[in-house]
Structures are given as C-alpha cells and as structure tokens.
Amino acid sequence: MEILEQIAREAEKNTQVPAYPRSVEKVIAAVMSSSDFWKIVDLSDEPLPLVAEILKLLNKHDLVAFEGDQILLTEAGAELARKAKIEAFASHVCPRCKGRGVVIDNLREAYEKFLKIQEERPPAIHQFDQGYVTPENTFARVALADSRGDLRGKKVVVLGDDDLMSIALALSGLPAKVTILEIDERLVNFIKEVSDKYNLGIDARVHDLRQPLPEDVVGAYDTFFTDPPETVEAIKAFVGRGVATLKAERCAGYFGVTRRESSLDKWRKIQKVLLDMGLVITDLIHNFNEYVNWDYYEEMRGWQLTPVKKAPEDIWYRSTQFRVETVRGFKGFNEPIVGDIYNDAESSTT
Ligand SMILES: NCCCCN(CCCN)CCCN
C-alpha cells in the first residue's frame, strides 16, 4: 500500500519518531474505533507525537476529517481501509482482572484504608513528570509482587513514589521493611505523616535519583519498585539504581514502560539496557498500569501537537508492567546522572 508507506516516511521525517506502514494502519484502525484523540492514541499504542502527525497527514490526504473536536474517517478513508483490509480494534480483555492477571480481593482491608488516605494526596505536578496510577492499580502491583513471592518478609525499596506504592505496601503488612526515595518533598512529607498516623514504619527520604543512592541503601534490598520517565536515560537512572539496591542474584524489580511515549525501537534499546544490567525480563503485562489524568495536560508538549483541542476524559495513558529478576553477573548503576532525563523526540507528557 503505497500511501501507507508514504505517510509513514513523511511522519517519521517530521517527528524523528520511527514510523512504519503498520503505525499508519493502527491509527486508521483506531479512528475506525473512536473519534476521540486520546482514545485513538490509547488504541493505536504508538507514541503520541507520531499519532498526532499521522492524523495531520491523513487529513492532508483527505482520508481523515477534523469536525469540531471529533476525528472521523472520510469516504476516501473508508475506501482505503476496505482496500487495505484495516478493521476497527477488537477487544478480548478479561472484564474481571482487566488483563492484569491478578485481582485485589485478598487485599480488600488495606485497599479500603488506602482509598481514604489517598484522598489527601498531593496532586501530580509537571515539574517531575508525575502521573499516578489508580488506587486499584497500585494494589494490583502489590498483588502481582506477592504472587511472585517478592514481598513477604522482604526489604522493599520504592524509587520515586507519586503512586504511593510505599503506603500500599506498608498497609498490606507483607514486607519486613519499606524504604522510599523521592525528589518531591510534598510527597515525602505526606508519606511520613501517613506513616506516623497509621504507625506504618516507612523509611521515607527526599532524594534526587540523578544522584547516587545513599550508602545504606546500596545492595540492601530484596525487591524494588519504580515508574520512570520514558527516556532511556531515565530507565538507566531509575531501574539501574533499583538494581543497585538489590542484595543478590534472584531479586526482583517492578516498573512501567509505555507505548504512549516510547516506540518499539526505543523499547528495543530499553530491553537491551535491561539485559546488559544482568536482568531477565520474567513478566511483561500490557496495559497493566492506568494513570489518572493529570491536570497539567495543557502544559505538556503533547497538547501542542494534538490536531484537535479536547480535554482527555477517560483514562488514556497506560503502561506495560515489567517484572525483572537478577541473575549471576548483574550490576546496578549508581553513577551521577547528568543531562535531561525527561525529554526525547518520543516523550510528550513532559
Ligand atoms: N507525565 C504524565 C505521565 C507520566 C507517567 N510516567 C511516570 C509515572 C509515575 N507514576 C511514566 C510512566 C511509565 N514509565
């Protein structure tokens, strides 16, 4: 299909994001499934900047029309879809576990407490690329880690915690110890207050993860959680630091990587960084994480790129949950990080 090839090439040239005919096909399939820009990004699983550019090029070729804040296929677009055998997306996701493979039924009591506590949480701010996951998702991460034997009696560290994972872990009563390192004082103070009030014993410290870890955290933990910004540098900084906290071989780490701000070409680089750190990727659960819409969306780069201006309503930003485990020869990364860990051609919510 010449036109798909041509649009892919032009989109890549204009965005510096790797683009393929399949990227264009998926955007067309998403437009056949929804007229909402954010839902189209969600369904296409391509980086936001690339989706925005492909939509503009499809519009230029009169294959897609922008009517108000709706994005619709034109007659010519529908004809192209027929010829290229492109259909709307079919969903087979489990309604019970939402595709996560775990449920939080056995964490009900801690979850109810968390729901109340998190009502006072500090809002997500643009400065640190914050965006927290839903409370149910936070507990699904606890359930996943517990089902892998990574929590009971273990020392757990959370690197960056706008998700309040530290509070959820401590409320579950499963880990022997919970430490959190977080750059944002608002979050550290909130977590300390909650820990004091509910007697959770959380070791919470202000720390900029671009700086090496505190001495007593290096090589002292069994399991780490983090949810890094979407650049390879940030993965090195946050996950590399996570690995540096681990005691030994066969220890686990959990983090999210999105398709919203990372192409598969970037995923390949990220996965190579993980393997080079001596990690095995044991689990990769697509759309495990769902992020509550943050209110600074008009300040993010992605907003400037959208072809129609409409506030996101439903959750659209999701990430794949990775579980990694150390084997012989693993090595963490504990050098100072310089330079920008928040922005690259594909990131767009910073
Ligand atoms: N900028 C808004 C969305 C950021 C999500 N990122 C950090 C999430 C922290 N809970 C990256 C998520 C995937 N690594």
Side-chain angles (χ1 to χ4, degrees), residues 107-208:
L107 296 163
R108 183 58 53 192
E109 198 185 320
Y111 174 64
E112 303 292 349
K113 265 194 210 150
F114 182 85
L115 269 184
K116 207 175 140 342
I117 290 170
Q118 62 87 39
E119 281 169 8
E120 317 289 320
R121 73 197 299 166
I125 53 176
H126 190 190
Q127 181 184 359
F128 300 123
D129 179 29
Q130 292 175 353
Y132 53 79
V133 296
T134 62
E136 182 196 26
N137 184 170
T138 308
F139 272 78
R141 288 175 173 172
V142 176
L144 176 67
D146 190 33
S147 62
R148 295 285 187 281
D150 292 328
L151 297 184
R152 289 167 197 258
K154 306 280 188 184
K155 289 179 62 184
V156 179
V157 61
V158 184
L159 301 177
D161 198 17
D162 68 336
D163 295 327
L164 303 182
M165 276 305 298
S166 56
I167 295 177
L169 287 161
L171 284 171
S172 78
L174 297 173
K177 177 178 167 81
V178 177
T179 295
I180 163 231
L181 303 182
E182 163 63 53
I183 193 169
D184 183 346
E185 285 200 47
R186 300 173 311 143
L187 284 166
V188 174
N189 293 337
F190 178 72
I191 290 165
K192 277 182 171 166
E193 277 158 33
V194 168
S195 181
D196 293 346
K197 185 173 174 192
Y198 290 82
N199 195 18
L200 299 176
I202 298 171
D203 162 20
R205 310 183 211 176
V206 176
H207 180 82
D208 177 344

Side-chain angles (χ1 to χ4, degrees), residues 125-126 128-133 141 161-163 226-230 235 255-258 261 289 291 294 296 300 317-319 348-350:
I125 53 176
H126 190 190
F128 300 123
D129 179 29
Q130 292 175 353
Y132 53 79
V133 296
R141 288 175 173 172
D161 198 17
D162 68 336
D163 295 327
T226 189
D227 197 10
E230 291 286 302
I235 299 282
F255 53 92
V257 182
T258 87
E261 303 191 82
N289 296 311
Y291 300 75
W294 47 90
Y296 63 83
M300 62 186 198
Y317 192 98
R318 302 175 203 277
S319 74
S348 63
T349 68
T350 42

Side-chain angles (χ1 to χ4, degrees), residues 61 105 143 157-158 168-169 180 194 214 218 253 269 277 283 328 338:
H61 288 80
D105 302 11
V157 61
V158 184
L169 287 161
I180 163 231
V194 168
V218 177
K269 290 193 186 103
M277 280 196 268
D283 297 78
R328 279 190 205 110
V338 289

